Amino acid sequence: MTTLTHRGRRAEGRGSEKKGEGEEEAADRELNEDEPDDSKDIRLTLMEEVLLLGLKDKEGYTSFWNDCISSGLRGGILIELALRGRIRLEPLALRKKRLLERKVLLKSDAPTGDVLLDETLRHIKATETAETVQTWIELLTGETWNPFKLQYQLRNVRERLAKALVEKGILTTEKQNFLLFDMTTHPVCNASEKQRLLKRLQESVLERWVNEPQRMERRTLALLVLAHASDVLENVFASLADDKYDVAMNRTKDLLDMDPEVEAAKGKGMEMIWAVLAAFNKS
C-alpha cells in the first residue's frame, strides 16, 4: 500500500480459548511490560499515535494525498489487540502456514475500555469462520465486494481517534472553512506529547538501535511498522538533520525489508506485528 518515503518527497503524498501458559502467552500478558514506566506519559493506543504522527500540527488534519492511513489504522487495531492479549494468530501445525495464511483467533473477549478495540473484538467474536490478518484489515476498512461483510467495517475511525485525543488534552477542535464547506479539524494543542512521541521513535532508531528486531520494544517496533503502512514514516524523522535523517531512514528501511516469516519465528509476542507488515508488503 505504501513504500518508504525519501526526503524531498512530500509526506502528503478472530472460538475463545483459555490462555495457555506457553511463552507466547507469557509474552502477551502485559500491554506495556517492555516499555519504560513514566507516569508523566499520557497512555495512547497505537492507533492514536499513528494519527498524531499523521496530523498537521496547526491545520489539524491529515494529508489529503494520504490514501494509506485508513488501512494502517486498522492494522494498528489488530496489533493493539494482540499486545493486550485479546487475539492471536492460529498456532503453527505440522504443515507450517505462512503468516498471511494463518487465521486470527480470539483469546479473550474481555473489554479493553477502548471503543474501537471493543467493537473490533465483537466483530472477531461474531465471525463464523476465522479470517486472516489481511482479510481483517480489508473488512475493517470496508474494502470488500461482499455486501454481507460490510457490517464489519469500522466507520469514522479518524474522527473517533481524534476525539479521544481531544479528551486526553492533546488535540483541540476547530471549524475551518474550505471554500464551499466547513470541516472540523483537530490541531495539536499539547505539542510536548507529540514531541515526546517523536523523540522516542527517533532515539530508538538513532541511539538504541540494536539491529535485531526481537530485542526491540514491541510497541516501538509496531509503531515503526504502522508508520510505514500509513505513509507517515517521513513525519517521524523530518525534523532531523540531513545526516541523522539518512541514518534513521536507512536503518528503518533495513528493518522493514526483513523477512516477516523469519523474524516472526524469532521474537516472542511479535507475530501479529510481522503479519501486519507482511499484509502491507503484499498489497
Side-chain angles (χ1 to χ4, degrees), residues 9 11-14 17 60 64 69 99 104 110 115 127 133 135 174 179 187 189 195 205-206 215-217 222 227 276:
R9 170 192 167 185
E12 301 182 347
R14 159 176 311 194
E17 301 179 4
F64 295 122
I69 194 168
L99 285 172
V104 176
V115 291
T127 55
V133 167
T135 298
E174 294 181 357
L179 296 177
C189 64
Q195 288 305 312
V205 174
L206 292 173
R215 293 172 56 195
M216 293 181 67
E217 294 172 0
V276 168

Side-chain angles (χ1 to χ4, degrees), residues 147-254:
F148 297 103
K149 297 287 189 178
L150 289 174
Q151 60 181 311
Y152 299 123
Q153 181 181 2
L154 296 179
R155 302 181 183 277
N156 304 316
V157 168
R158 266 181 270 191
E159 185 62 23
R160 292 157 75 180
L161 289 171
K163 288 181 178 180
L165 289 169
V166 170
E167 293 175 357
K168 293 178 179 180
I170 298 176
L171 305 181
T172 188
T173 301
E174 294 181 357
K175 289 283 187 180
Q176 290 193 30
N177 180 266
F178 288 85
L179 296 177
L180 301 177
F181 64 95
D182 290 333
M183 185 175 82
T184 300
T185 61
H186 299 282
V188 175
C189 64
N190 187 341
S192 63
E193 283 302 321
K194 184 165 185 177
Q195 288 305 312
R196 192 194 307 273
L197 173 60
L198 291 171
K199 182 179 179 181
R200 172 162 65 88
L201 291 173
Q202 291 170 0
E203 289 182 347
S204 69
V205 174
L206 292 173
E207 300 177 18
R208 300 196 298 272
W209 186 252
V210 292
N211 205 32
E212 296 177 12
Q214 64 270 22
R215 293 172 56 195
M216 293 181 67
E217 294 172 0
R218 289 179 295 160
R219 296 185 68 83
T220 298
L221 172 61
L223 195 49
L224 289 172
V225 166
L226 293 170
H228 161 64
S230 304
D231 204 12
V232 298
L233 185 60
E234 187 173 278
N235 296 7
V236 176
F237 304 123
S239 63
L240 295 172
D242 286 350
D243 56 340
K244 291 185 177 181
Y245 173 90
D246 290 339
V247 171
M249 290 298 287
N250 287 332
R251 286 178 174 176
T252 307
K253 182 179 184 302
D254 290 342

Side-chain angles (χ1 to χ4, degrees), residues 89-101:
L89 293 182
E90 64 177 334
L92 288 171
L94 291 178
R95 178 180 176 274
K96 291 186 177 182
K97 294 183 179 180
R98 298 183 62 81
L99 285 172
L100 295 183
E101 297 172 342

